[in-house]
Amino acid sequence: MPISLQRGDEHFEVSDRLPVLPLRDVVVFPYMVIPLLVGRPGSLAAVEAALAEDRWIFLVAQRHGEIQEPVASDLFRVGVVGKVLQVSRLANGTTKVLLEGVARARVTRYAPNDSHLRATLSPMPFERGASEMDDNAMARRVTSLFEEYVGLHRRLPPEVVSLVQGSEARDRQAFAVSAHLLVRVDQRQQLLESVSTSALLERLSALLTAEIEILRLERKIESDVRGSLFQNQREFYLQEQLKAIHRELGQEDGDDFDELAASIAAKSLPPAVRERAERELRKLRRTPPLSPESTVGRNYLDWILSLPWTERTDDVLDVAHAQRVLDEDHFGLHDVKERVLDYIAVLALVGRLEGPILCLVGPPGVGKTSLGRSIARALGRKFVRMSLGGVRDEAEIRGHRRTYIGSLPGRVIQAMRRAEVVNPVILLDEVDKMGQDWRGDPGAALLEVLDPEQNHAFSDHYLEVDYDLSQVLFLTTANSLQQIPEPLRDRMEIIRLPGYVDHEKHAIARQYLVPRQLRAHGLDPATVTIEPATIAAVARGYTREAGVRELERRIARIARKLARRIAANPSAATAPMVVRPEDLRELLGVPPFDEDQNTLEDRVGVATGLAYTAAGGDLLEIEVALVRGRGRLQLTGTLGEVLKESAGAALTYARSRAGVLGLDADSVRAHDIHVHIPAGATPKDGPSAGIAIAAALVSALTGVPIRGDTAMTGEVTLRGRVLPIGGLKEKLVAAQRAGITHVIIPRSNARELEEIPEDMRAGLVFHPVTTMDEVLALALRPEHRRETLGTAAVAAAQIAH
C-alpha cells in the first residue's frame, strides 16, 4: 500500500513496506546526500532489494554501533526514507552507495524478510508549531549560533555556513544545521524525532549553546598551555643569559658537575663502569638543564654512585659463635643450621667462596623468613628481604630501560643499594608465589640471579653494565616446590623444613613466644607463669598447624587478657600470676578443636590416609559406602583429577582381586560405590592416597574393619604395586600429632627414615610395603568372628594371615 510523503513543496508516493538499511554511528536527515560504504550481508541485501524495486530504502540508526547483525530491538523507531542515487562496487568487496534523505517516517513494525529487514512505515510530517514570527526569530538565532560554532570548530569548513544561509525553507535550514553538528548519535536522533519545526529549532539552539561553551573552554585551555610553553622557553633563555654573565665574571656555576666528577673519581668503580659514568657525565654537561634527558642522566649517575661496587663487611668466621646465634633465635631446624655452619667452616679455610643459593621449603609459620635474618647475624652480614609474592613483570627483576619515563633498576639492584655492601644476605621470600603474563616471566629472569656461573656479571636493563652478585648469600623461601619452575629449582639447594612436633612447639613457646609476647604487652615475664601443661593444652585444643604462628597469636591473646586484668586492678601489677589449663576457657573461649577428633577406633570402609599440603602434613579420612546400583563409582570431596584417577585404579585392583577376596563379581557390579574424603570444601589432589582408597574399598566390600591406629600413604597401580610418594617428613609429623601408632609406607621411601630425626619417629611403627596384599595384611583386622563377618570376610582374613 503506498503512502504519501512531503518534503517542502515536493510530494512522493512510496510503498509502506521498504527494505531497512541499519546505520552505525550515522543519522541521516532529509535533504541530506551522503555516501556510505556497505559491507554487512544484511545491508547489502537491503540495497539490492531497493535497486530491484523502485530505489526507495529506509535509513535508520542503530542504538549501539558495535552490534554486527542488528535486530528490530537494536534499531530506533524513527528514520528517513531515502533514495539510492548511485551504487558502485569496490575492489575490497564492499559497496559504495550514494543516498539522498527524502522525508521522515515512523516504523510501525519491523519484519525479517529472508536476508534483510523490512519496515512497515507511516508518514511523520512536522506538526504546526508556534507563530511564524517566533519561528523566524528562532531560525535567525540558530543560524547565528551555527556560524559561531563553525568558527570555533576546526573540523568544519567555513563554506558550510553559506550552504545553510542559502536555504530558504526553515525546515531545510534546520536539517542542514543538524546534519553538520558533530555530536553523539543519540543527540542527533533526538533532533530527527522533533515533533515540529519549532521544537527542532529550540533543541538546536540549546545544543549549539552548550557546544559553543565547550569549544570556548578548549580554546582557553590550549591558549594557557601555549603560554606555559612560552614561559618555559623564556626561563631557559634567561638561564642561558645568566650563565653567560657568570662566565664573564669568572663565577661559572659548575659546582654540581664538579661534585659528580669528584664522586666518580673517589668511588672504587670497575674500569668499564667508570668509563660509562664519565661518558654519561660528559653528556650531562652538554645537555640543557631543563631538558628531560638531564634528569634521566642525573638519576643514572646517582644510581651508579649509590651502589656498592667494592664495599663489603668482614665475615664472622667463628663456627661456635654462629652455632650460638642460630640456637638463640631458633629451636630445632637441624639441617639448615648444619648447612650454614658448613658454609662458614669452608669460608674460613678458603677465604672466599661463591655464595650458595639455599631454598627453604616448608609450611607457613616454621621460621623460614626469620631464619634468614639469623643467618645474616651469625655471619656478621647485612640482611635484605625481597618479597616476590605476586610479582608478574620481568622488569621487577631486571629493571626498566631508561627510555621509559620513571624507569628504575630491578628489585635485585635496589636491594644491593639498600644493603650498601657487595656481600649481604638477600632473602627472596615466597619464590613460589610468582606469576607470569604477557609482560614476561620473572622466574626466568631469576635464573641469571641464582646461577653462580652467571651472576658474577648480572645485567640490569637500567644500569646497562655488568654487576657482580657472586658474593651475595641468596636464601629463598617457598611453601611448595611444585609451584617453582624446574630450571629455577635446579639452581637451588633444597632444604626442607617439616612442621614442628608437639614437644618442639612447647619448647619454642617457653623459650621464645611467651617471653616475647609478655614483654610486648607490658608484662614482666618474671611475674607471669604459664604452666607447661597450659602451653600443651593451647597447642592441642586451639591450634591445628605445622608452624607456631597461630600458637603465638593465642599466647598474645592470653597476654592481652592478663594486661586487661592489671589495667582494671593496678594493685595486682606486681603480684605473681599463674595461668593453668583450667583458665584457658575463660581466656581463650571454647577450644575450636577436639583432641579426640581423629578417632582411632576400627571401622568398616574407613581408612586413614596421609596428605602433604602447603600448610604441612595432614590426615585424610577416606570413607567408602556401598549402595544398590549398577557398579558406578561416585567421588565427592572436591577431588582433583589425579586423585580421581587413583580412586579408579584402586577400584580396578579390588575388582581384579575379587576371587581371592571371596567376592562375587556380579554382586560387586550390582552395587554403586561412593568414595568421600572430608572436608568437602577443601580441594585435594595427588596420587599418595591410592593405597588408602584401595584398603577402604576392600574393607567395604568384605565387611572387615580397618585398624584405627594405622595410617597409610602410597600410590597404587592396577596390579597392586605400591609406588613411592613425597613429603614423608610432613606426613609423619601429622601422624604423630594425631596419635597414630602404625604407619604403612612404600618400601622405596624406607631409606628416608634414616634422615628423619628420632623425635619425629618416636611412638611410630613403620611398615614398608611393596604390594597391596601386604597393605591389606597390615591394615585389616582378621580376628573378628566368622559368624559375624561372613564368607567374604573370612577370605579377607586369610589374606591378612
Side-chain angles (χ1 to χ4, degrees):
M1 177 184 294
I3 58 174
S4 178
L5 301 177
Q6 182 178 357
R7 185 181 68 178
D9 298 328
E10 300 175 275
H11 294 272
F12 303 90
E13 293 293 326
V14 182
S15 172
D16 65 339
R17 294 187 75 251
L18 294 179
V20 176
L21 179 60
L23 305 177
R24 289 191 291 186
D25 302 325
V26 176
V27 176
V28 176
F29 293 88
Y31 302 100
M32 183 176 176
V33 177
I34 181 172
L36 294 175
L37 293 176
V38 180
R40 293 185 288 182
S43 301
L44 289 172
V47 173
E48 295 293 341
L51 292 174
E53 298 172 8
D54 50 1
R55 290 181 173 261
W56 292 106
I57 194 168
F58 183 66
L59 309 173
V60 63
Q62 293 181 198
R63 298 181 187 274
H64 304 286
E66 66 273 12
I67 298 176
Q68 290 293 328
E69 298 293 336
V71 295
S73 59
D74 300 322
L75 304 177
F76 289 102
R77 308 298 291 189
V78 175
V80 170
V81 174
K83 192 153 193 175
V84 180
L85 301 180
Q86 184 180 349
V87 177
S88 57
R89 315 289 180 181
L90 302 182
N92 59 1
T94 59
T95 301
K96 185 176 181 180
V97 183
L98 186 65
L99 299 164
E100 179 186 9
V102 175
R104 301 186 307 164
R106 183 181 300 276
V107 178
T108 58
R109 182 172 176 269
Y110 284 109
N113 183 16
D114 295 333
S115 57
H116 64 277
L117 281 175
R118 281 187 173 268
T120 302
L121 307 175
S122 61
M124 190 179 173
F126 276 137
E127 299 176 3
R128 183 176 299 275
S131 64
E132 187 80 6
M133 186 177 299
D134 292 340
D135 285 352
N136 288 334
M138 185 60 71
R140 288 185 181 182
R141 172 171 171 75
V142 168
T143 305
S144 175
L145 289 172
F146 183 69
E147 184 176 358
E148 184 178 359
Y149 174 80
V150 173
L152 291 171
H153 212 296
R154 301 182 187 278
R155 293 168 57 186
L156 293 177
E159 295 80 11
V160 174
V161 178
S162 302
L163 178 65
V164 171
Q165 291 174 346
S167 302
E168 297 180 359
R170 284 195 302 273
D171 61 339
R172 186 164 188 170
Q173 277 189 346
F175 283 136
V177 172
S178 303
H180 288 94
L181 274 181
L182 301 179
V183 293
R184 299 193 311 271
V185 172
D186 57 337
Q187 293 176 314
R188 295 163 66 89
Q189 182 67 28
Q190 289 178 2
L191 295 174
L192 181 64
E193 295 178 3
S194 300
V195 296
S196 64
T197 307
S198 302
L200 176 58
L201 291 172
E202 288 175 1
R203 285 183 175 176
L204 284 173
S205 176
L207 195 55
L208 282 168
T209 302
E211 290 295 313
I212 288 171
E213 289 298 324
I214 294 174
L215 290 173
R216 285 174 179 169
L217 183 59
E218 289 178 352
R219 285 292 182 92
K220 181 178 183 302
I221 293 172
E222 182 181 356
S223 176
D224 292 343
V225 171
R226 190 182 297 113
S228 176
L229 291 175
F230 174 78
Q231 180 66 20
N232 290 338
Q233 292 172 350
R234 178 174 176 273
E235 289 177 1
F236 173 75
Y237 178 74
L238 293 176
Q239 288 283 353
E240 292 299 317
Q241 282 188 328
L242 187 61
K243 286 183 181 179
I245 294 172
H246 278 265
R247 281 196 297 270
E248 292 297 327
L249 295 176
Q251 302 174 352
E252 186 172 358
D253 188 12
D255 295 345
D256 194 20
F257 294 142
D258 294 340
E259 289 178 3
L260 283 174
S263 299
I264 294 173
K267 188 81 171 178
S268 298
L269 299 174
V273 180
R274 182 179 299 278
E275 180 181 352
R276 180 62 183 271
E278 291 173 349
R279 186 167 71 246
E280 289 289 334
L281 180 58
R282 290 194 297 270
K283 179 181 175 182
L284 184 61
R285 288 181 186 273
R286 298 191 299 268
T287 305
L290 297 179
S291 171
E293 288 294 324
S294 175
T295 304
V296 172
R298 178 57 192 263
N299 289 340
Y300 178 78
L301 289 176
D302 287 342
W303 273 100
I304 291 289
L305 294 174
S306 62
L307 284 173
W309 297 94
T310 57
E311 298 85 351
R312 56 179 292 119
T313 54
D314 295 329
D315 291 329
V316 179
L317 304 179
D318 185 351
V319 177
H321 166 76
Q323 177 81 59
R324 185 170 60 254
V325 170
L326 294 175
D327 288 341
E328 285 176 0
D329 293 345
H330 292 84
F331 183 86
L333 305 179
H334 177 75
D335 291 345
V336 188
K337 293 179 180 179
E338 285 294 311
R339 182 62 184 87
V340 174
L341 295 177
D342 292 346
Y343 172 75
I344 295 174
V346 175
L347 191 62
L349 294 178
V350 301
R352 178 185 171 94
L353 186 65
E354 288 185 347
I357 291 90
L358 306 181
C359 181
L360 310 179
V361 181
V366 296
K368 301 184 296 297
T369 304
S370 60
L371 187 61
R373 188 173 285 103
S374 296
I375 292 173
R377 192 161 74 90
L379 286 168
R381 294 188 178 188
K382 292 192 174 182
F383 175 77
V384 179
R385 175 182 170 272
M386 192 170 82
S387 177
L388 297 179
V391 172
R392 293 178 175 271
D393 192 354
E394 176 196 0
E396 293 280 348
I397 307 299
R398 289 189 177 276
H400 296 83
R401 300 192 184 276
R402 286 191 291 156
T403 52
Y404 299 106
I405 296 176
S407 57
L408 286 173
R411 291 195 180 194
V412 177
I413 296 299
Q414 294 180 34
M416 295 302 296
R417 181 184 186 180
R418 294 199 304 272
E420 300 178 341
V421 291
V422 296
N423 63 337
V425 174
I426 294 183
L427 178 72
L428 305 178
D429 211 3
E430 309 292 356
V431 74
D432 59 330
K433 306 298 190 304
M434 289 187 299
Q436 65 181 62
D437 57 13
W438 56 270
R439 290 169 290 189
D441 183 3
L446 274 181
L447 296 178
E448 182 182 1
V449 177
L450 300 181
D451 191 344
E453 299 297 326
Q454 301 180 46
N455 63 11
H456 65 279
F458 172 66
S459 176
D460 186 273
H461 290 160
Y462 183 87
L463 293 183
E464 297 178 343
V465 293
D466 292 340
Y467 191 85
D468 186 5
L469 296 173
S470 61
Q471 300 182 58
V472 178
L473 174 58
F474 283 105
L475 299 175
T476 66
T477 70
N479 296 129
S480 173
L481 279 179
Q482 282 71 25
Q483 305 299 327
I484 303 176
E486 183 62 34
L488 183 59
R489 195 187 319 168
D490 181 62
R491 283 162 169 77
M492 301 185 293
E493 182 178 341
I494 307 298
I495 300 177
R496 290 187 175 275
L497 278 67
Y500 295 116
V501 294
D502 285 347
H503 77 274
E504 290 178 326
K505 289 184 178 181
H506 303 164
I508 292 171
R510 288 195 305 271
Q511 297 178 27
Y512 305 100
L513 306 183
V514 171
R516 182 167 65 200
Q517 290 300 326
L518 291 178
R519 284 191 291 267
H521 291 82
L523 302 175
D524 185 3
T527 61
V528 178
T529 302
I530 300 180
E531 293 183 349
T534 305
I535 296 175
V538 173
R540 286 194 309 270
Y542 292 87
T543 65
R544 276 291 189 274
E545 59 178 345
V548 293
R549 197 167 284 158
E550 181 64 23
L551 178 60
E552 184 171 12
R553 282 194 283 265
R554 295 292 180 173
I555 293 173
R557 184 173 178 181
I558 292 174
R560 288 196 298 271
K561 295 293 185 181
L562 298 179
R564 183 177 173 183
R565 290 180 182 178
I566 293 176
N569 186 14
S571 60
T574 57
M577 289 185 285
V578 180
V579 180
R580 298 179 176 85
E582 53 268 23
D583 300 329
L584 291 180
R585 190 172 291 268
E586 178 186 353
L587 296 172
L588 299 179
V590 178
F593 302 105
D594 186 2
E595 296 184 18
D596 299 324
Q597 188 172 357
N598 296 312
T599 177
L600 302 181
E601 65 182 10
D602 301 345
R603 288 176 290 177
V604 175
V606 180
T608 302
L610 295 173
Y612 173 70
T613 68
D618 199 1
L619 264 64
L620 289 180
E621 193 174 77
I622 299 168
E623 303 173 343
V624 176
L626 303 179
V627 293
R628 286 286 180 182
R630 300 178 181 178
R632 291 176 299 182
L633 176 64
Q634 183 180 2
L635 304 171
T636 56
T638 318
L639 310 184
E641 290 299 323
V642 178
L643 191 52
K644 291 179 181 178
E645 292 172 0
S646 296
L651 178 58
T652 302
Y653 162 78
R655 285 174 172 170
S656 67
R657 302 286 290 172
V660 179
L661 295 172
L663 297 172
D664 183 8
D666 294 334
S667 176
V668 174
R669 284 193 294 268
H671 289 83
D672 287 344
I673 300 174
H674 187 167
V675 179
H676 178 69
I677 303 180
T682 304
K684 312 165 192 71
D685 204 0
S688 61
I691 65 172
I693 296 174
L697 280 169
V698 172
S699 172
L701 291 169
T702 61
V704 178
I706 296 178
R707 294 168 58 110
D709 59 352
T710 301
M712 58 198 79
T713 180
E715 181 179 355
V716 67
T717 68
L718 294 176
R719 299 184 180 276
R721 292 174 52 234
V722 180
L723 302 183
I725 44 82
L728 185 61
K729 279 186 180 180
E730 289 79 2
K731 293 177 180 179
L732 295 184
V733 170
Q736 189 184 59
R737 188 187 304 126
I740 297 294
T741 55
H742 294 271
V743 180
I744 301 175
I745 62 173
R747 192 172 297 278
S748 302
N749 290 105
R751 57 179 176 269
E752 299 180 27
L753 295 176
E754 299 177 3
E755 301 177 0
I756 296 176
E758 182 63 34
D759 52 5
M760 286 190 186
R761 293 183 289 169
L764 297 177
V765 179
F766 299 98
H767 303 280
V769 296
T770 308
T771 66
M772 268 304 302
D773 288 346
E774 298 176 62
V775 174
L776 295 177
L778 294 166
L780 296 180
R781 287 284 191 189
E783 59 268 14
H784 284 255
R785 293 178 302 157
R786 298 191 177 193
E787 59 272 16
T788 302
L789 299 178
T791 306
V794 172
Q798 290 173 351
I799 290 178
H801 284 303

